[in-house]
Amino acid sequence: ASDGQKFSLSVDQQPVSVTKFDLLPNPVLSWFTDQDTAGYRIFALPKPLMPGDSATLEIKTSLTNPGFVNNGYRREILYNGTFTSAGIPSIGYDPNGELESDEDRKKYGLVEKPDDLPPHRDPYGEKTMLFNDDADLINFECIVSTVPDQIAVAPGYLQREWTENGRRYFHYKQDSKIDYFFNVVSGRYSVLRDKWTSPKGEDVNIEIFYHQEHHYNLDRFVAALKDGLSYFHQNFGPYQFRQVRILEFPRYAAFAQSFPNTIPYSEDFGWYADFSDPNDYDYGYYVTAHELAHQWWGHQVVPNFTRGSNLVSESLAEYSALMIAKQKYGPDNVQQFLKYDLDGYLRGRASESKKENVFINCNRSYQWYQKGSIILYGLQDYIGEERLNSAIKAFRDSFGMKENPPFAGSYDLHDFIQTVVPDSLQYYMEDSWHKLALYENRVVTAKAKSIGNEEYEVTLTVKANKRYADEKGAETDATNMDDYIDIGVFAPDKVEANGKKLTVPLYLKKHKLTAGDHTITIKVNKKPEKAGIDPYNKLIDRVPEDNRKEVEF
């Protein structure tokens, strides 16, 4: 037993028991009768399992709440809103249970622990999937029972439902192989049902399981699913399932997680949020698009266990969601999404306690989420959305639904993308994937004068600069800077009938800028209000607030 979890194992119907082992070094002081083993157990098989042999492993497990824990709360088994991985233990030693902090390890006489995955093209890393090393793709089927007034859901298609001995049963079966990555959810749900139809006439059932009082933003979730299914199908390839489901769970945790055709989604992520102001950041729509994208990036293409491979799943999902936002709001109105990601990346690197890896070797969430979205969005802006998507689709075609190794790494995605980037923009690939490049662009002055016929001449003085940082944060100037950077001039925002403000660019073009001051003169056909350098925050600029300035007359 470990913290409310109990399990027993049998192999080919023969019970197996825990072998004796000691925790070394022995703790000087322990509050426990038995030594704490962090839930780690070693079982002796009835007979040795030789290479090529097979056996049936049966696990009986129970999760209970015998009291309360000292650090927070247990959230798996709840009165209404259970969300669990069924308490099935992982097989093998898990180094994630070890102390990570350099300070803590030094305190206990342990050597520093490297936090990088195996290097690129490592044989073990390429044949191992990122999210688990217990299995590759599996056949999945389960029967779940719950109390009579709740609905239990797991990945797969519902085969039948029945009531027996005061319990409500659900039988799910997936008819294609999936990653060994599943969940079980149970709650008193209301269910919204809809469908999306592919260009070939194939229906995908949409189901949203929600707490009946949290019905406010269901239309946003449905719109994001339909928009995402259409865009991802057209640009990256077909959706592999006949259904997609979103399931609300209590806000004891604040995240969403994408399992095969089943997406548990915390009630704290927009179920009862007030989006009545159309200018607010619509994270409900965006997060739904991101989680749907994982059905392609994470489930169709499963990353391998090498350095930087998280970007295959997370950066591509972030990029995919940004493309949905771009399609919905227009390219001139995604700046709030880009600024949100830029701020998140800058906060992450500012609090880095060890070292910052370059993107292709990323090992932190602020790198594969926020930095990845900025890099890929910026790249499609440089080379064109269609061209970048064609490379990503070719990557998906090569690794999608692959049952045998090698599985996909960050270097594979990089190589597919690099083939469609022209020589003139290879510096961007080098800066964004292989270096830590930081911009210091700002507007010094922005002045305009009328030149008749409702035309205006705008004169901008801007300062451009780029610096390179090493993994410890030491910086040097980029002496060879000669980069394409947006220069923009804007009219006052257009306000739609519902109050939504839309950016109105009068001029937006890329200028090739070296480091230093530049004076740029532009003619526009309406009275300008603001002007800027990299005004949409497509580059990683440490002080993005000074990229725009009010125009003086």
Side-chain angles (χ1 to χ4, degrees):
S2 174
D3 195 21
Q5 177 173 354
K6 298 180 180 180
F7 58 86
S8 60
L9 273 62
S10 63
V11 175
D12 289 337
Q13 299 183 337
Q14 296 184 52
V16 294
S17 57
V18 179
T19 62
K20 183 180 184 301
F21 73 99
D22 292 323
L23 183 68
L24 297 174
N26 289 316
V28 176
L29 176 65
S30 175
W31 295 104
F32 305 99
T33 304
D34 298 320
Q35 292 180 355
D36 178 26
T37 60
Y40 183 64
R41 303 289 184 269
I42 298 176
F43 291 86
L45 299 181
K47 62 179 181 179
L49 195 63
M50 304 304 292
D53 285 352
S54 63
T56 299
L57 175 65
E58 183 177 326
I59 302 171
K60 294 182 179 180
T61 184
S62 67
L63 292 172
T64 60
N65 294 320
F68 60 88
V69 294
N70 291 329
N71 55 341
Y73 39 77
R74 297 290 298 272
R75 62 172 179 80
E76 289 84 3
I77 307 299
L78 300 174
Y79 180 70
N80 181 22
T82 288
F83 170 25
T84 178
S85 58
I88 296 180
S90 179
I91 299 173
Y93 178 73
D94 182 6
N96 292 319
E98 298 174 356
L99 291 174
E100 297 281 349
S101 163
D102 290 343
E103 291 78 10
D104 288 343
R105 294 183 68 84
K106 183 177 180 180
K107 176 181 176 182
Y108 291 103
L110 302 171
V111 298
E112 287 189 11
K113 180 184 178 182
D115 55 3
D116 284 320
L117 297 183
H120 294 171
R121 306 197 187 282
D122 175 78
Y124 171 78
E126 286 202 313
K127 69 180 182 181
T128 304
M129 292 182 172
L130 176 64
F131 301 121
N132 74 81
D133 59 1
D134 291 341
D136 294 335
L137 299 185
I138 64 167
N139 297 308
F140 181 81
E141 182 176 6
C142 74
I143 295 174
V144 188
S145 75
T146 186
V147 293
D149 63 344
Q150 293 193 16
I151 300 174
V153 184
Y157 305 109
L158 181 63
Q159 304 298 301
R160 71 186 187 105
E161 174 190 341
W162 70 98
T163 301
E164 182 179 323
N165 297 326
R167 301 284 292 176
R168 191 176 182 184
Y169 285 80
F170 299 84
H171 177 193
Y172 294 97
K173 184 176 183 179
Q174 181 58 46
D175 59 6
S176 58
K177 287 190 174 182
I178 60 173
D179 192 10
Y180 181 50
F181 185 58
F182 68 93
N183 69 302
V184 176
V185 177
S186 178
R188 293 185 184 89
Y189 287 121
S190 296
V191 185
L192 181 151
R193 291 183 170 86
D194 205 325
K195 69 174 54 178
W196 171 83
T197 304
S198 76
K200 292 184 177 181
E202 299 165 332
D203 288 338
V204 173
N205 292 321
I206 294 172
E207 296 178 336
I208 300 182
F209 295 77
Y210 64 98
H211 182 54
Q212 62 178 357
E213 297 177 6
H214 296 168
H215 52 79
Y216 310 104
N217 296 313
L218 301 180
D219 57 337
R220 277 183 158 73
F221 300 146
V222 171
L225 291 175
K226 289 185 175 181
D227 291 348
L229 286 166
S230 296
Y231 185 92
F232 305 155
H233 178 99
Q234 177 183 347
N235 289 278
F236 307 135
Y239 181 59
Q240 69 270 40
F241 303 117
R242 301 189 302 277
Q243 67 185 14
V244 58
R245 297 174 295 195
I246 295 177
L247 305 104
E248 183 180 10
F249 66 86
R251 65 186 186 100
Y252 291 112
F255 65 87
Q257 194 168 17
S258 193
F259 297 89
N261 59 63
T262 304
I263 305 171
Y265 200 130
S266 171
E267 68 173 306
D268 207 30
F269 262 25
W271 292 89
Y272 52 82
D274 181 2
F275 292 113
S276 58
D277 184 343
N279 298 300
D280 282 346
Y281 176 62
D282 192 347
Y283 59 87
Y285 181 89
Y286 185 85
V287 171
T288 302
H290 172 101
E291 296 303 329
L292 174 65
H294 276 310
Q295 300 298 313
W296 280 259
W297 318 122
H299 291 294
Q300 288 193 31
V301 178
V302 182
N304 68 26
F305 191 70
T306 62
R307 207 159 294 173
S309 61
N310 264 295
L311 70 84
V312 171
S313 174
E314 297 299 347
S315 297
L316 284 177
E318 282 286 284
Y319 167 74
S320 301
L322 274 174
M323 290 298 98
I324 299 303
K326 177 186 173 185
Q327 178 178 263
K328 181 178 177 66
Y329 300 110
D332 297 311
N333 295 285
V334 296
Q335 193 255 345
Q336 65 171 330
F337 296 95
L338 295 171
K339 179 65 162 54
Y340 179 87
D341 282 335
L342 177 58
D343 289 344
Y345 168 66
L346 294 175
R347 283 194 302 269
R349 74 181 306 269
S351 60
E352 177 59 61
S353 61
K354 288 194 175 184
K355 63 184 179 69
E356 180 182 357
N357 283 6
V358 296
F359 180 57
I360 198 169
N361 293 330
C362 62
N363 64 341
R364 298 283 191 271
S365 61
Y366 70 86
Q367 298 161 15
W368 60 64
Y369 281 107
Q370 286 84 17
K371 186 177 186 180
S373 70
I374 296 169
I375 287 173
L376 294 176
Y377 188 89
L379 188 56
Q380 65 83 34
D381 186 65
Y382 277 119
I383 69 173
E385 180 180 346
E386 184 176 345
R387 178 180 286 187
L388 178 57
N389 285 352
S390 70
I392 294 173
K393 184 179 186 300
F395 167 73
R396 176 261 177 197
D397 291 345
S398 179
F399 288 97
M401 308 307 296
K402 194 171 184 181
E403 295 188 22
N404 299 305
F407 301 112
S410 62
Y411 44 89
D412 295 305
L413 177 61
H414 170 275
D415 291 350
F416 273 92
I417 290 175
Q418 191 166 38
T419 61
V420 300
V421 177
D423 291 345
S424 60
L425 290 168
Q426 286 295 330
Y427 80 87
Y428 182 82
M429 288 293 291
E430 182 69 16
D431 280 354
S432 57
W433 288 72
H434 300 282
K435 295 181 179 179
L436 300 175
L438 301 164
Y439 286 88
E440 295 175 340
N441 300 324
R442 64 186 179 92
V443 179
V444 180
T445 61
K447 298 180 180 180
K449 64 180 181 181
S450 174
I451 56 176
N453 297 322
E454 297 185 351
E455 289 189 323
Y456 293 83
E457 183 179 88
V458 181
T459 301
L460 277 172
T461 302
V462 299
K463 186 177 184 66
N465 193 37
K466 181 171 68 177
R467 295 173 68 81
Y468 293 124
D470 65 17
E471 62 181 21
K472 295 295 186 181
E475 296 180 10
T476 56
D477 284 323
T479 56
N480 60 343
M481 178 180 176
D482 193 14
D483 296 5
Y484 291 100
I485 302 177
D486 282 342
I487 298 294
V489 179
F490 303 90
D493 289 343
K494 176 184 176 182
V495 181
E496 295 186 322
N498 66 352
K500 175 72 174 176
K501 295 179 181 178
L502 300 178
T503 300
V504 182
L506 302 175
Y507 177 93
L508 184 67
K509 290 185 179 179
K510 296 189 186 301
H511 290 238
K512 203 169 190 185
L513 301 178
T514 56
D517 294 331
H518 300 268
T519 299
I520 301 168
T521 301
I522 300 163
K523 290 182 180 179
V524 295
N525 58 8
K526 286 185 180 179
K527 187 176 181 179
E529 182 181 71
K530 294 181 181 179
I533 177 172
D534 183 30
Y536 292 159
N537 304 127
K538 299 171 188 174
L539 301 174
I540 295 174
D541 191 315
R542 287 191 297 191
V543 188
E545 289 75 18
D546 61 10
N547 286 24
R548 292 194 189 199
K549 200 175 186 69
E550 297 280 345
V551 173
E552 299 177 7
F553 288 88

